[in-house]
Amino acid sequence: TKCVCDLFVSWQGEKNAGFDVLYHNMKHGQLATKELAEFVRERAAIEETYSKSMNKLAKMASNASPQGTFAPMWDVFRVSSDKLALCHLELMKKMNDLIRDINKYGDEQVKIHRKTKEEMVGTVEAVQALQVQSGHLQKSKEGYHAKCLELDRLRKEGAPQKELEKAELKSKKAAESFALCIEKYNRVGGEFEQKMSESAQKFQEIEEAHLRQMKQLIKGYSHSIEDTHVQVGQVHEEFKQNVENIGIDNLIQKFAEQKGTGKDRPALVGFEEYMTALAPEGGKKSRAKAFRIPGLGKRDKEPDST
Amino acid sequence: TKCVCDLFVSWQGEKNAGFDVLYHNMKHGQLATKELAEFVRERAAIEETYSKSMNKLAKMASNASPQGTFAPMWDVFRVSSDKLALCHLELMKKMNDLIRDINKYGDEQVKIHRKTKEEMVGTVEAVQALQVQSGHLQKSKEGYHAKCLELDRLRKEGAPQKELEKAELKSKKAAESFALCIEKYNRVGGEFEQKMSESAQKFQEIEEAHLRQMKQLIKGYSHSIEDTHVQVGQVHEEFKQNVENIGIDNLIQKFAEQKGTGKDRPALVGFEEYMTALAPEGGKKSRAKAFRIPGLGKRDKEPDST
């Protein structure tokens, strides 16, 4: 597999900042973890608020008027809102669990970074040594060049042999000193390269592990949201079905059963003879039984009184 | 098709309340409409709050640290939260449209009820007439029975013929009066039955139309929620895909491109001779070009200076 190492490794550059960039990037990982936890905490708070609002909505539905044919419909709204409240409350809980996971990882991360810092003391020293030696090298080079320039000038001016020999000696010594400096610089540079290479590799491993962990946590976030989304979909489907199932006839029937004041139409009242009394003239036979209005006849509840 | 009419028609019952029950049920329909509007208004408010919270969450994501390898991930969170905010804002708008529809229906409903009330004046009168006549009938029946009882008593006591004849006459007159009362009651009852039957049918039609309208409005409610649910699902899917697509290598590469301090490793420095200066002894050939550290060599930017 292709190693991203070469992309990641930041060599020193003009400002010798490579190590610092990598080190601070690692430290920024802690900030990222903290910010992810804050983001999820905010999301949890949003879901909690939504859940409470849905509870309030459910209460509105259950406080709706129990009168009228529409009344049973409110139960469908109440149940649905209550279930939605539960879905979002569960999401809040899952977000809170996730925050715990993030914080736990954050603690581990701090430990890893502390340990890494200790392990990289050698690299920091190598970086500093290279910086110091780089300064020496520059000075030494300038010195050598100055001596060469002086020698050239004397030659062009046709200076006395003695002076020329003196200047040649100085230039030679400066060249030797410069050569020594180069040697030392290259030695220090070699050490730097090795240490830096190791550290960059280590930084990269840490970074990869960090990003893997962060993506894992984000996966947890998105799975929880997805689960809730599926549940919410089911609640909606159920709501739709319930509304569909409560037919208009159904509502009217329910209402009639609850509030109905009788299915029998009022009927013709017949002449009710008094007990043992004479039959009134005109042969008016009692038709009372068949068409009696409830509550009007005295013997309403007797089985047969014709 | 089976007519629910017989279920719905509430005849007067013991308290003569059938018409009142139907009339008040119709009026409760207005309350149901008002309560549905309030419910949807509350839902709209909840969605607006959720939308604003999602905007806040998006802002949190865009305010997250731009440092470190994780930084580009925040853009995925920001975009997703922004889109969620839009989804719920749109749902709020749809709920507001629905409230307008509900209120519009509520206004029509008031007009229909007012017109219905006017049309049913005859029924109200028939109900009252029946109630009055029902009282008369009861009294008349009691009077007739009392007279019969008196006649019986006198017969058992063996009262004088004159007294018996007098009582018989009274009983006969009471029977005639009772018979007249029954006739009138039956006439009033017939009128009541016709009027009440018409009104009950009308009430039922109004109720069916009302429930049909309410179910239609609820369908609008549930469709809007469903649409938003689908959109939210797409936003989640996109979020998941975006997270998936941003590989760890990707993040590291981006970081290296942005913060990288150079891909070239530091190199051995060679002895740089001074311009036209003598070749120093020991045959140290310049290897400066190949391994130069940027910024150290004076002639760094010249094309070829060996």
Side-chain angles (χ1 to χ4, degrees):
Chain A
T1 54
K2 187 205 165 195
C3 182
V4 251
C5 179
D6 281 328
L7 283 166
F8 190 61
V9 166
S10 299
W11 295 106
Q12 292 298 88
E14 307 232 342
K15 286 175 180 168
N16 298 305
F19 183 84
D20 278 359
V21 166
L22 293 182
Y23 182 76
H24 285 121
N25 176 58
M26 178 181 80
K27 293 296 241 181
H28 278 128
Q30 290 182 30
L31 184 58
T33 308
K34 210 178 126 249
E35 284 176 338
L36 185 64
E38 278 163 14
F39 184 87
V40 177
R41 190 172 297 119
E42 185 65 27
R43 177 77 194 233
I46 291 171
E47 297 302 325
E48 193 184 5
T49 302
Y50 196 74
S51 172
K52 281 180 182 168
S53 304
M54 278 298 156
N55 274 327
K56 204 178 141 199
L57 201 62
K59 215 152 280 165
M60 251 182 111
S62 65
N63 285 339
S65 169
Q67 307 288 342
T69 49
F70 186 74
M73 222 57 170
W74 285 114
D75 219 42
V76 178
F77 282 100
R78 183 188 58 76
V79 167
S80 176
S81 306
D82 259 340
K83 283 188 177 175
L84 278 184
L86 269 176
C87 289
H88 288 269
L89 189 73
E90 207 184 312
L91 182 53
M92 180 211 75
K93 283 177 185 164
K94 281 178 181 169
M95 292 287 127
N96 284 339
D97 290 346
L98 183 60
I99 292 167
R100 265 189 290 280
D101 289 347
I102 297 173
N103 288 339
K104 201 176 134 200
Y105 165 60
D107 293 344
E108 282 167 24
Q109 196 184 19
V110 169
K111 277 179 205 158
I112 290 168
H113 290 185
R114 198 171 292 146
K115 191 165 153 269
T116 304
K117 193 184 175 183
E118 282 164 16
E119 285 168 2
M120 288 190 182
V121 167
T123 312
V124 173
E125 282 168 1
V127 169
Q128 283 165 349
L130 186 67
Q131 282 170 350
V132 168
Q133 209 46 47
S134 172
H136 289 170
L137 184 66
Q138 190 63 26
K139 260 190 197 155
S140 180
K141 181 183 165 188
E142 280 163 14
Y144 161 62
H145 285 189
K147 295 292 176 291
C148 291
L149 202 69
E150 174 69 6
L151 182 60
D152 262 10
R153 194 181 56 78
L154 291 175
R155 275 184 185 141
K156 275 175 194 148
E157 284 172 2
Q161 188 61 21
K162 204 173 169 187
E163 260 183 78
L164 279 178
E165 278 170 8
K166 215 172 149 188
E168 267 171 12
L169 193 68
K170 274 186 183 170
S171 152
K172 214 170 153 187
K173 277 188 178 167
E176 280 164 8
S177 168
F178 182 36
L180 277 173
C181 239
I182 287 170
E183 201 183 306
K184 187 160 186 198
Y185 176 84
N186 284 342
R187 198 173 63 241
V188 168
E191 197 162 335
F192 160 80
E193 182 175 350
Q194 200 205 317
K195 292 275 187 197
M196 190 61 190
S197 206
E198 285 166 17
S199 290
Q201 185 61 45
K202 179 75 185 160
F203 276 130
Q204 180 167 340
E205 283 162 16
I206 288 173
E207 210 54 28
E208 281 170 354
H210 166 59
L211 291 171
R212 220 178 292 123
Q213 184 67 50
M214 292 294 269
K215 281 192 86 172
Q216 203 55 43
L217 292 166
I218 293 173
K219 228 168 233 173
Y221 173 80
S222 99
H223 277 171
S224 297
I225 287 174
E226 224 172 12
D227 286 351
T228 300
H229 186 255
V230 170
Q231 287 168 6
V232 165
Q234 286 164 351
V235 173
H236 287 165
E237 192 53 43
E238 211 181 275
F239 174 78
K240 234 175 62 181
Q241 273 306 313
N242 284 342
V243 171
E244 203 66 48
N245 289 344
I246 300 191
I248 290 171
D249 292 6
N250 215 268
L251 287 171
I252 287 179
Q253 179 157 357
K254 237 180 206 166
F255 173 76
E257 281 164 9
Q258 209 181 346
K259 298 276 183 177
T261 50
K263 286 186 187 182
D264 297 330
R265 305 191 169 209
L268 288 172
V269 175
F271 188 89
E272 281 184 71
E273 285 177 43
Y274 176 69
M275 307 203 283
T276 59
L278 325 157
E281 70 266 65
K284 275 195 180 167
K285 295 275 172 189
S286 170
R287 292 150 53 203
K289 195 61 212 153
F291 301 99
R292 199 169 48 228
I293 284 197
L296 262 185
K298 243 185 178 176
R299 276 158 287 166
D300 217 5
K301 269 145 206 163
E302 289 169 27
D304 206 332
S305 57
T306 335
Chain B
T1 53
K2 188 204 164 196
C3 180
V4 252
C5 176
D6 282 328
L7 283 165
F8 191 63
V9 167
S10 300
W11 294 105
Q12 293 296 87
E14 309 230 344
K15 287 176 180 168
N16 299 305
F19 183 84
D20 277 359
V21 166
L22 294 181
Y23 182 76
H24 285 121
N25 176 57
M26 180 183 79
K27 292 297 241 181
H28 279 128
Q30 290 184 29
L31 184 59
T33 307
K34 210 177 127 250
E35 284 176 340
L36 185 65
E38 277 164 14
F39 185 88
V40 176
R41 190 172 297 119
E42 184 66 27
R43 178 76 193 234
I46 291 171
E47 297 303 324
E48 192 184 7
T49 302
Y50 196 75
S51 172
K52 281 181 182 167
S53 304
M54 277 297 156
N55 273 327
K56 203 178 143 199
L57 201 63
K59 215 151 278 165
M60 249 183 113
S62 66
N63 285 339
S65 170
Q67 307 287 341
T69 49
F70 186 74
M73 221 57 169
W74 285 115
D75 220 41
V76 178
F77 282 99
R78 183 187 58 75
V79 167
S80 177
S81 306
D82 260 340
K83 283 187 178 177
L84 278 184
L86 269 177
C87 290
H88 287 270
L89 189 72
E90 208 184 310
L91 182 52
M92 181 212 74
K93 283 177 187 165
K94 280 178 182 169
M95 293 285 127
N96 284 338
D97 290 346
L98 183 60
I99 292 167
R100 265 187 291 280
D101 290 346
I102 297 173
N103 288 339
K104 201 176 134 202
Y105 165 60
D107 292 345
E108 283 168 23
Q109 196 183 19
V110 168
K111 276 180 208 158
I112 289 167
H113 289 185
R114 199 171 293 147
K115 191 166 152 268
T116 304
K117 195 185 172 182
E118 283 164 15
E119 285 168 0
M120 288 188 183
V121 166
T123 313
V124 173
E125 282 167 2
V127 168
Q128 283 164 350
L130 186 68
Q131 281 169 352
V132 167
Q133 209 45 45
S134 171
H136 289 170
L137 185 65
Q138 188 65 29
K139 260 189 195 153
S140 178
K141 181 183 165 190
E142 279 162 14
Y144 162 61
H145 284 190
K147 295 292 176 290
C148 293
L149 202 69
E150 175 69 5
L151 183 60
D152 263 9
R153 194 182 55 79
L154 291 175
R155 274 180 184 149
K156 276 174 196 148
E157 285 172 2
Q161 189 58 23
K162 204 177 173 190
E163 258 182 80
L164 280 178
E165 278 172 8
K166 215 173 151 190
E168 265 170 14
L169 193 70
K170 275 187 184 170
S171 151
K172 216 173 156 187
K173 276 188 177 169
E176 279 163 10
S177 167
F178 182 36
L180 277 172
C181 237
I182 287 171
E183 201 184 306
K184 185 161 189 199
Y185 177 84
N186 283 342
R187 198 173 63 240
V188 168
E191 196 162 334
F192 161 79
E193 182 174 351
Q194 201 206 317
K195 292 275 183 194
M196 189 63 191
S197 207
E198 283 166 21
S199 290
Q201 186 61 43
K202 180 75 186 162
F203 276 131
Q204 179 167 342
E205 281 163 18
I206 288 172
E207 209 55 29
E208 281 170 355
H210 167 57
L211 291 171
R212 220 177 293 122
Q213 184 65 52
M214 292 294 270
K215 281 192 86 171
Q216 204 53 42
L217 292 165
I218 293 173
K219 226 168 231 171
Y221 174 79
S222 100
H223 277 170
S224 298
I225 288 175
E226 222 171 13
D227 285 352
T228 300
H229 187 254
V230 169
Q231 287 168 6
V232 165
Q234 285 164 352
V235 174
H236 287 164
E237 191 52 41
E238 210 181 275
F239 174 78
K240 233 175 67 181
Q241 273 306 313
N242 285 342
V243 170
E244 204 65 47
N245 290 345
I246 300 190
I248 291 171
D249 292 8
N250 215 269
L251 287 171
I252 288 178
Q253 177 157 357
K254 235 178 206 166
F255 174 77
E257 280 164 8
Q258 206 181 350
K259 298 277 182 176
T261 51
K263 286 187 188 183
D264 297 330
R265 305 188 169 214
L268 289 171
V269 175
F271 188 88
E272 281 184 72
E273 284 177 43
Y274 174 70
M275 306 204 282
T276 57
L278 324 157
E281 70 268 63
K284 274 197 180 165
K285 296 276 174 191
S286 171
R287 292 150 54 202
K289 195 65 209 150
F291 301 97
R292 197 168 51 228
I293 282 196
L296 261 182
K298 244 187 181 175
R299 277 158 288 164
D300 215 10
K301 268 143 210 166
E302 289 170 27
D304 207 333
S305 56
T306 335

